[in-house]
Amino acid sequence: MILQLKPSILVETPLGTGQAIFIIDYGMHQNTCWVVALQKDGVVKHFDCNDVILSTNYTYGMNLRKNGFNRKHDNSSNEK
């Protein structure tokens, strides 16, 4: 199954930041493949789901600790 992401999702990959534009699901015995257009040069690459991280989004409170944002705003953590 191929899912087109509308809108695309800003993600971090081993090759840098990019826009995830498709997700390919090959089934329960294989990891999901993310198709990402890299920000630096527009090259489209395929990444295993273990290599993709959502970029920090301060509005929605996603991935805040990666960039050192104050932990009290991170609702997913019970640490103090």
Side-chain angles (χ1 to χ4, degrees), residues 1-69:
M1 174 181 75
I2 298 176
L3 174 67
Q4 181 179 0
L5 299 172
K6 291 183 185 180
S8 59
I9 300 173
L10 190 63
V11 295
E12 305 292 331
T13 73
L15 298 177
T17 302
Q19 293 286 331
I21 51 179
F22 293 101
I23 297 175
I24 304 172
D25 183 5
Y26 292 108
M28 61 188 262
H29 298 292
Q30 191 168 350
N31 286 344
T32 304
C33 175
W34 287 64
V35 180
V36 177
L38 297 176
Q39 183 175 330
K40 64 183 174 188
D41 54 13
V43 172
V44 176
K45 294 284 187 180
H46 293 77
F47 294 95
D48 184 87
C49 63
N50 294 322
D51 293 329
V52 176
I53 300 170
L54 291 179
S55 292
T56 300
N57 184 315
Y58 297 103
T59 301
Y60 293 109
M62 301 191 73
N63 200 12
L64 300 179
R65 280 200 268 169
K66 173 182 176 269
N67 291 308
F69 194 68

